[in-house]
Amino acid sequence: MPDATAPDARGIARAAKALREGELVVFPTETVYGVGAHALDPDAVKKIFQAKGRPADNPLIVHVPDVAAARRLTRGWPTAADALAHAFWPGPLTLVLPRAAHVPDITTGGLDTVALRVPSHGIARLLLQAASLPIAAPSANRSGRPSPTRIQDAIADLGESVHTYLDGGPTYLGLESTVVALADAEPTILRQGSLPRERIEELLGPLRARTHADAAPASPGMKYRHYAPSAQLHLHASAAQAAAHAAALRAQGERALLVTGTEHPHEGPDHQRPGPTTDAHAWARTLFATLRDADARGYRHICIQTIPDQGLGAAVMDRLRKAAER
Ligand code: TXA
Ligand code: MG
């Protein structure tokens, strides 16, 4: 297994050089770890798709240091982009805009738009500055696996295909960025994420939601299986129901992990409590690690309590529903 690199001046310089030379670098953002490549170098970007086993029509998010750098990759910057960038960048928001001609097809999955984000994580910002180029970076997992929130998760998934793994410790938000398309007249939310939808709607009014029912998914990533652990996930409206289901499975000799809010009394080693069900942040931060650890510890089932479906909780619930799909 490759080693993680400390994100000190030497580590950042090494990672920036690797990016300039067309190699892959894993780095922390405030949401999840990303696997990055020089966004304007098609050969470098191709390595991301190979390392992840990612379908070629699923476009990447391009990370830039500031609004000026973002604008250079677009043709057209609507007032809504100004409002959102001013309010939420740097931070966990991705904007989809008409792309400039020099953004390669492979980066955008052949679409006429480009997804842009200015991350707030200090290490991501230092890396953008040192490399001095836009960094295309999807989450640093194998396609279909939960996003990595710890460096060891990225190393386990991507191994030797990455030149440098910058270790920034566990990421603090834990869910990916919220993706909003501003390429059409009507702003559309393509993916719920760490920035609650309500915060965006305070500025723009109601957002259109893109659903699976739409003829052509505007966000190609939506049609692929996501966030799935090997264990079967079971969603339950109450802690008592989740606990009863876990007990029934164990009575049949199955290994079942119980996950509930801290309102529920602790039942021992096969029971995890991320926090109160009203603390969506605590659930968001630990969700993907919980799914990965459940697999590593050999659980066949995860019986999990649902949390209120609003604000950040709606993004947590979106990931839980997707992870429960078979
Ligand atoms: O928090 C995040 O967003 C992380 C960190 C590393 O920045 N990145 C991330 O990237 O989650 P990824 O590739 O796992 O998810 C990007 C999503 C996918 O659903 C993709 O289909 C969508 O954004 N996307 C990218 N470019 C797009 C475009 N031009 N139009 C519509 N959707 C796009
Ligand atoms: Mg991803």
Side-chain angles (χ1 to χ4, degrees), residues 240-295:
Q241 281 168 20
H245 188 198
L249 286 164
R250 289 172 194 147
Q252 293 164 25
E254 296 276 5
R255 292 210 57 204
L257 176 68
L258 174 64
V259 182
T260 72
T262 41
E263 301 90 344
H264 188 84
H266 188 56
E267 292 188 2
D270 298 330
H271 182 196
Q272 282 185 23
R273 300 187 307 162
T277 50
T278 48
D279 185 357
H281 200 279
W283 282 63
R285 202 166 42 229
T286 52
L287 176 63
F288 290 144
T290 297
L291 298 183
R292 282 177 174 267
D293 290 347
D295 281 349

Side-chain angles (χ1 to χ4, degrees), residues 144-146 225-234 291 295 299-302 320-326:
R145 301 259 304 141
R225 189 150 178 266
H226 268 91
Y227 316 113
S230 305
Q232 171 74 56
L233 200 68
H234 309 278
L291 298 183
D295 281 349
Y299 289 105
R300 297 272 313 280
H301 298 271
I302 305 170
L320 283 181
R321 287 190 201 100
K322 286 190 172 130
E325 273 172 22
R326 285 280 132 165

Side-chain angles (χ1 to χ4, degrees), residues 29-32 61 63 84 88-89 91-96 115-118 173-182 188-201 204 207-208 219 227 311-316 318-319:
T29 79
E30 66 277 22
T31 58
V32 301
I61 296 174
H63 298 67
L84 293 184
F88 302 119
W89 278 357
L93 171 69
T94 295
L95 298 179
V96 173
L116 295 162
R117 159 160 136 76
V118 177
L173 296 176
L175 283 190
E176 303 88 342
S177 62
T178 303
V179 181
V180 176
L182 298 175
T188 303
I189 184 157
L190 299 180
R191 177 177 75 184
Q192 305 200 61
S194 275
L195 181 66
R197 169 197 198 118
E198 291 87 340
R199 300 273 314 276
I200 301 168
E201 293 187 327
L204 297 190
L207 287 172
R208 208 167 88 82
S219 188
Y227 316 113
L312 182 59
V316 171
D318 169 76
R319 301 303 189 273

Side-chain angles (χ1 to χ4, degrees), residues 13-25 36-39 41 43-45 47 130-131 133 163-164:
R14 173 188 152 91
K17 181 165 181 281
L19 286 173
R20 282 194 298 271
E21 291 173 353
E23 299 296 335
L24 301 186
V25 169
H38 184 336
D41 175 349
D43 292 329
V45 173
K47 292 180 185 169
L133 46 83
H163 182 283
T164 300

